[in-house]
Amino acid sequence: MSGWYGLLPPPKAPEVLRGRQKADWLIIGAGFAGLAAARRLSQLVPGDRIVVVDAQRVGWGAAGRNSGFMIDLPHELAGENYGGSQNHDRKRIRMNRAAIEFSAAAADEYGLQAFFVRAGKFHGAASDHGLGVLREFETHLTGLGEPFERLDGPQLKEITGSDFFIGGTFTPGTVMAQPAGFIRGVAEGLSSRVQLFENSPVISMRTGKLHTVKTAEGEITAPQLILTVNGHLESFGFFKKRLLHVFTYASMTRPLSKSEQAALGGEPHWGLISADPMGSTIRHTGDRIVVRNTFTYNPDMSTSEKQIKRIGAVHDQSFRARFPMLGDMPMEFRWGGHLCLSLNSAAAFGEVEDRVFVAGCCNGLGTVQGTLYGMLAADIAAGSDEPMVGDALNQPAPSRLYPEPLMSIGAPLKLWAMQRRAGKEL
Ligand SMILES: Cc1cc2nc3c(=O)[nH]c(=O)nc-3n(C[C@H](O)[C@H](O)[C@H](O)COP(=O)(O)OP(=O)(O)OC[C@H]3O[C@@H](n4cnc5c(N)ncnc54)[C@H](O)[C@@H]3O)c2cc1C
């Protein structure tokens, strides 16, 4: 269980799909993309029957496992300094901000302000390599005309309590979410307009004039289908040999005592991303600290307790390096989660068969880009004149992976080399 999910009260009993059902719109997957599609459809075609089906409880999957950085700026995980070309990045920022505003409207409407805070994000460097990466990032931001603030080590210590960082950069546009709380809140907020079935994995799908999907206990038909199952698009037969299945991992401490908080110092709420895209992400949630790092290649789309435990030891090391004043702090939660990446960092988006739309594979940035593509999938499906649809459709599709055995040898090696390059930033 992720810490974010574990901190929420237990959810109400789920409604499971049973028997034969009909819908006007069927969405498979209730993460950021699926719920954005559902919310957008509820605005575009009010009165139509919109049904969302998920294999698990809302918030149990990657949507409730992530670090909660809803980032407006370019954030290219596969690159060396997060940036891409200026034209591409300007468009990306405009689209990311539209998705953040779409989420902000949901947060306002459903009273989710506690789970959705416009706090900005820090980047922290612990080495000269990291500082160099941040300087490149700042140059890129200057070129884009985007505001940022440069911080030195002591300024970062005032915020984080840690003297691990020798410099940093603050950018103001990121929203910090409690991801499981936010996503569950959106699902509950939509419940008067959208019917949600949970714990109902789709086990077969037949497309046609009416699309039919089956679960263990039920079946549902609909003329319009939106698939928002992230990397599981491949399990539905789409984008085969184009999606890279990677896991990343996090650990969350137990609550810090008053004396531990005093020993730590700094501010109670902040989120910091490493200068190096492969370094550690750290959040202070008010009374707990969350560490996220390490990527593994898992083409079978699953991880194991053993892998989570092994990477937990890396988290402990990263934690001790940053917060020696907190000693051997026990971690109350440790978890892993599935990321879908593509070699060219492109998302899977568009109409893949007649009236079958997809939005997924958001390259580790799905809180914002999943929202964006989910919302735009609803726009194309409903034939709206949203201008961003054209931009989204003009983007490249995920490129082909290298043939085997190049992937199974090359992908872990590449991840290893990138993480090694991160050095102290891990
Ligand atoms: C530890 C970690 C940290 C991360 N940090 C960040 C971050 O700070 N910022 C950020 O933007 N992103 C982050 N991410 C990535 C982010 O979580 C994902 O990109 C995002 O959740 C993708 O949203 P989605 O809606 O496309 O897919 P998902 O959230 O994966 O939702 C897909 C849903 O489809 C359902 N599904 C799959 N198959 C079936 C089926 N057969 N039948 C029914 N339902 C099915 C799943 O149960 C799931 O609920 C992080 C991820 C992890 C694991």
Side-chain angles (χ1 to χ4, degrees), residues 117-418:
V117 180
R118 292 183 191 267
K121 69 168 163 32
F122 295 92
H123 286 256
S127 62
D128 287 342
H129 155 72
L131 271 190
V133 175
L134 284 188
R135 295 305 161 249
E136 274 179 45
F137 178 54
E138 289 173 356
T139 307
H140 190 60
L141 292 178
T142 306
L144 291 168
E146 288 297 330
F148 65 86
E149 192 186 330
R150 183 177 288 185
L151 298 127
D152 59 19
Q155 284 171 309
L156 270 178
K157 184 177 161 81
E158 268 175 41
I159 290 146
T160 62
S162 169
D163 50 20
F164 181 77
F165 304 103
I166 58 175
T169 310
F170 175 77
T171 64
T174 291
V175 167
M176 299 303 304
Q178 201 291 30
F182 177 74
I183 207 76
R184 186 189 285 177
V186 171
E188 283 169 5
L190 281 170
S191 60
S192 59
R193 288 174 284 163
V194 170
Q195 174 141 34
L196 171 67
F197 294 106
E198 296 171 271
N199 286 355
S200 305
V202 169
I203 49 177
S204 79
M205 176 179 85
R206 205 181 60 242
T207 55
K209 196 161 176 243
L210 275 182
H211 310 305
T212 306
V213 307
K214 288 191 177 165
T215 61
E217 297 178 65
E219 174 181 308
I220 183 156
T221 53
Q224 307 268 4
L225 177 60
I226 303 183
L227 281 170
T228 47
V229 289
N230 205 6
H232 277 287
L233 281 171
E234 197 173 316
S235 315
F236 283 81
F238 299 110
F239 298 93
K240 284 203 155 179
K241 304 219 182 315
R242 286 174 189 267
L243 309 182
L244 259 169
H245 304 290
V246 166
F247 273 65
T248 187
Y249 303 83
S251 297
M252 181 188 271
T253 64
R254 61 156 169 74
L256 270 53
S257 67
K258 286 240 151 42
S259 62
E260 285 165 339
Q261 297 201 30
L264 170 63
E267 292 179 6
H269 293 274
W270 48 265
L272 181 143
I273 292 179
S274 165
D276 188 289
M278 291 293 121
S280 298
T281 297
I282 314 280
R283 277 191 69 174
H284 192 334
T285 65
D287 65 345
R288 296 170 188 256
I289 295 179
V290 188
V291 181
R292 188 220 47 86
N293 65 38
T294 310
F295 293 91
T296 58
Y297 178 58
N298 303 63
D300 63 353
M301 298 189 235
S302 66
T303 184
S304 63
E305 288 296 334
K306 200 169 149 205
Q307 202 160 29
I308 292 174
K309 197 167 167 208
R310 180 174 65 74
I311 291 159
V314 180
H315 293 161
D316 291 346
Q317 215 176 344
S318 303
F319 184 90
R320 276 196 299 272
R322 286 156 180 80
F323 308 110
M325 70 296 267
L326 296 177
D328 285 332
M329 172 68 55
M331 296 289 171
E332 187 172 337
F333 299 97
R334 293 195 197 273
W335 66 95
H338 182 183
L339 294 184
C340 177
L341 312 182
S342 59
L343 282 182
N344 56 345
S345 302
F349 174 71
E351 187 169 6
V352 286
E353 277 183 27
D354 190 22
R355 289 163 292 104
V356 179
F357 305 89
V358 299
C361 196
C362 291
N363 290 283
L365 301 167
T367 64
V368 170
Q369 288 180 22
T371 302
L372 174 76
Y373 291 115
M375 175 182 132
L376 295 180
D379 277 301
I380 38 172
S384 95
D385 56 4
E386 165 55 55
M388 283 187 301
V389 164
D391 282 337
L393 287 173
N394 278 335
Q395 292 177 4
S399 56
R400 272 198 164 278
L401 301 180
Y402 301 110
E404 284 301 341
L406 283 183
M407 281 312 298
S408 49
I409 299 171
L413 263 181
K414 169 99 180 166
L415 282 174
W416 175 83
M418 287 169 79

